[in-house]
Amino acid sequence: MNHESEAVAESISGEQWLREVPVSLKQVRRGLNLLIYGGVLIFLAAVGVLYFLFGTEMQTLFMNVLPVVSFSGNLIVFIGTILCLSIPEQAGARRLLIGAAIGFFAKLIFSGTIFFDTEVLNLPVALFLKLSGNIGLILLALALRKLLLYLNRSDQMLKVYGLLASTVLFLMGSWCLEVVADLGLVEIKLITIYSVMLVGFFLNPWFLFGLRKVLR
């Protein structure tokens, strides 16, 4: 009998999962909320860096605060991804979420080195950690696509594709710009790099918010 009940539980549909509002659904909701809040903090940190590059009387103070904001945002995103692992196994998103969590943890390490004002990372390692964070965002988008298919909400798939496109075009593009700038292949001002990144940082929480509404 136990095996039969487990089989029934494992075969639960996405629609039924939403109707019954189990603990796992509440966990996923919290996880998506944290992803949104973390994304907003990262966006604000990027806006702050872009603004204070022009120089103000409070530049030193805020440039010390912004790494804290960025680190906090990356930490919240990582925790949110862990909570999203409560998505039912039959959705097929578990491995993608684990990969996303690993990528976000790598980005958290990179952000932590800035937060603690250390220079323990050489250029290749730093770029690898930043790339891992971008890959984490791609894996997260793919995991959310799996979730929408499980919930039979393919009508919301455009938000996932928007999340994926913004990640690829803006975050990955900005990473490539930084590679070029750090290697000195061409002169690119930081303001140009952060301007490109800013679009992606703004769009990601917005698309995540749209996807969060599916789980009401």
Side-chain angles (χ1 to χ4, degrees):
M1 293 294 292
N2 290 335
H3 291 293
E4 292 180 1
S5 61
E6 290 177 3
V8 172
E10 290 179 357
S11 62
I12 184 173
S13 66
E15 293 90 343
Q16 185 179 352
W17 183 62
L18 284 178
R19 288 195 304 269
E20 294 181 353
V21 193
V23 175
S24 61
L25 176 57
K26 296 178 181 178
Q27 289 284 84
V28 175
R29 286 174 176 170
R30 294 190 190 101
L32 287 177
N33 284 335
L34 289 179
L35 285 169
I36 294 169
Y37 300 150
V40 169
L41 285 178
I42 295 171
F43 169 71
L44 292 176
V47 170
V49 170
L50 180 62
Y51 177 75
F52 289 106
L53 281 176
F54 290 103
T56 68
E57 294 180 358
M58 301 182 67
Q59 182 180 23
T60 302
L61 173 62
F62 277 93
M63 291 304 277
N64 289 331
V65 172
L66 292 177
V68 180
V69 176
S70 179
F71 177 79
S72 300
N74 282 290
L75 178 60
I76 292 173
V77 167
F78 173 70
I79 295 173
T81 307
I82 296 298
L83 291 178
C84 286
L85 287 171
S86 298
I87 292 175
E89 181 68 33
Q90 55 267 37
R94 186 70 57 83
R95 292 182 179 178
L96 291 171
L97 286 171
I98 292 174
I102 294 173
F104 293 146
F105 183 72
K107 183 66 179 297
L108 183 63
I109 294 174
F110 171 79
S111 182
T113 60
I114 299 176
F115 171 66
F116 292 108
D117 193 24
T118 62
E119 298 180 356
V120 297
L121 301 179
N122 56 32
L123 177 60
V125 174
L127 293 176
F128 172 77
L129 293 177
K130 293 172 72 174
L131 176 61
S132 298
N134 293 335
I135 292 175
L137 284 169
I138 296 174
L139 294 177
L140 174 64
L142 295 177
L144 292 175
R145 176 181 177 276
K146 291 276 190 179
L147 176 61
L148 288 180
L149 292 175
Y150 173 65
L151 299 175
N152 196 26
R153 293 299 305 271
S154 57
D155 59 306
Q156 298 295 316
M157 203 67 72
L158 187 61
K159 294 183 176 67
V160 171
Y161 294 144
L163 180 64
L164 187 61
S166 66
T167 301
V168 173
L169 294 178
F170 298 110
L171 298 186
M172 293 292 287
S174 66
W175 181 83
C176 292
L177 283 175
E178 291 198 49
V179 172
V180 173
D182 288 335
L183 295 180
L185 300 180
V186 64
E187 289 189 7
I188 301 178
K189 295 182 179 179
L190 283 176
I191 189 173
T192 304
I193 297 172
Y194 279 103
S195 296
V196 173
M197 294 176 66
L198 210 57
V199 180
F201 286 143
F202 172 77
L203 291 176
N204 275 270
W206 187 82
F207 284 121
L208 285 170
F209 178 74
L211 292 168
R212 166 64 178 81
K213 293 192 292 185
V214 177
L215 300 182
R216 284 179 177 175

